[in-house]
Amino acid sequence: MPDDELGADGPGATAPYEFTHAGATMIVEEERSSGPHTFVLLHGLGMGRSVFIRLTARLASAGHVLAVDLPGYGEAPEPPKTLSMERAADHIAALLRARGTSPAVIVGHSMGSQIAAEVAVRHPELVRSIVLIAPTVDARARTWHQQALRLGRDLIRENPRVLFIGAREYLRSWPNFRRELKAVLAHRPEDTYPRVTVPALVMRGQKDPVAPREWCVDVARMIPNAELTEIPGHRHETMIKDAGPAAHRILGFLDRT
C-alpha cells in the first residue's frame, strides 16, 4: 500500500484497516459518535489496541476514537526497522493528517505515553491535550532488568483478565521484543516533557510499581501545564482491569481544559 494511504474501508470506517507511512504499517480501529472530541489511543510495550477495548467504549460517547496497533505490535506487521519513539510519533501525526481530524487528545499508556509526549512536541498543531497513563521510563530505572523486576512485581498481583490479555499480546510481539525494549529505553522522556505546550493529565494506578508515584510527580512537574491523578486500588494496566475510573478522569480533565 502506498505511503499515507488509508485502508479500503476509507474515512468513517469502523472495521480495522491498515495505514502505511514511510514504509511502516499500523492497524487502526475507529469508533465514532457525535461528541466533540477526537481521541488517539496508544498502547504500551508488547501490547496492542485490544487493551483499550473497554476504554474505547467509554470514550466513544464523547467523540471519535482511534485505537492503533503500532508497527510491529498486535496485528500490525513488523517494520523493516524498529521505530524509535520519535518516528512512531511521526506516524501518528501522519495518520491524523490523513484523517483530517480536529486536534486530538492523545492517550498513551506506558510506552505509549512516551510517544504521546513526542507527538505533542513534534506536531503541536495536531494535539489538543495529552493523557499519560502509567508513564515510562522512570529516569531512576532505565535498564532492562530494573524494568523487568518492576513489571514482574506488578504482574504477580494482577487480576486474571489483565494477565490473559497481556500474555496474548506479549506472545505476538515476543520475536521482536528485545529490539522494541531497546527503543523504549533509549528514549529520554524527561528531555521531552518540559517542551510540551498542551495541557497534560498524568495518571497512575495507586499500586503501580512500574510507574511509581515519585516518578509520576516528577513527570507532572516537568510538563508546564499538567496535573496528576491516581486511581485507588489499580496497578499498571489500570484501563484493562476497569476502564471506568480512567475514562471518568479523562473526560473530567477535558471539561476543565
Side-chain angles (χ1 to χ4, degrees):
M1 182 179 295
D3 281 1
D4 293 5
E5 183 176 327
L6 298 172
D9 288 321
T14 56
Y17 61 87
E18 293 185 354
F19 176 79
T20 300
H21 170 72
T25 298
M26 298 186 292
I27 304 297
V28 185
E29 191 166 359
E30 301 189 30
E31 293 286 343
R32 290 178 177 269
S33 78
S34 59
H37 302 297
T38 297
F39 301 93
V40 179
L41 309 185
L42 305 178
H43 57 76
L45 179 68
M47 298 285 106
R49 71 184 191 280
S50 66
V51 302
F52 288 118
I53 289 174
R54 292 186 173 182
L55 185 61
T56 295
R58 298 226 177 219
L59 295 180
S61 64
H64 180 190
V65 183
L66 296 87
V68 307
D69 288 340
L70 292 162
Y73 293 90
E75 297 175 341
E78 185 67 19
K81 182 179 179 180
T82 299
L83 270 62
S84 66
M85 302 299 99
E86 294 87 350
R87 283 190 64 213
D90 292 343
H91 278 63
I92 297 302
L95 173 65
L96 289 172
R97 289 192 176 99
R99 300 308 282 164
T101 61
S102 58
V105 181
I106 314 295
V107 181
H109 172 252
S110 197
M111 174 193 76
S113 70
Q114 297 172 245
I115 299 170
E118 288 293 345
V119 178
V121 168
R122 296 167 72 85
H123 309 278
E125 73 283 1
L126 300 175
V127 181
R128 180 196 187 280
S129 57
I130 58 175
V131 179
L132 311 179
I133 305 176
T136 50
V137 174
D138 184 349
R140 302 174 187 84
R142 206 193 306 277
T143 66
W144 71 265
H145 64 274
Q146 288 171 308
Q147 290 297 307
L149 179 62
R150 288 184 175 186
L151 182 60
R153 287 169 51 204
D154 181 67
L155 293 177
I156 285 173
R157 298 182 180 274
E158 272 292 8
N159 73 10
R161 172 181 170 80
V162 172
L163 293 175
F164 173 77
I165 294 176
R168 181 187 64 197
E169 296 300 330
Y170 274 121
L171 284 173
R172 284 177 171 178
S173 67
W174 184 252
N176 306 295
F177 187 82
R178 185 173 180 177
R179 293 200 304 271
E180 293 163 349
L181 176 59
K182 184 178 179 180
V184 170
L185 295 177
H187 183 245
R188 299 181 64 87
E190 66 270 25
D191 294 338
T192 303
Y193 292 143
R195 296 185 287 136
V196 173
T197 58
V198 300
L201 176 65
V202 181
M203 185 188 305
R204 70 177 296 269
Q206 179 197 16
K207 298 182 177 181
D208 182 359
V210 182
R213 189 175 196 282
E214 185 179 16
W215 166 242
C216 291
V217 168
D218 287 347
V219 172
R221 286 174 176 167
M222 283 186 277
I223 299 173
N225 184 14
E227 61 181 79
L228 172 65
T229 186
E230 292 185 290
I231 301 179
H234 282 220
R235 305 182 71 82
H236 190 61
E237 309 290 351
T238 180
M239 74 290 168
I240 302 177
K241 178 182 177 181
D242 176 7
H248 177 74
R249 283 163 172 76
I250 292 169
L251 296 178
F253 167 69
L254 294 178
D255 287 342
R256 297 190 298 276
T257 57

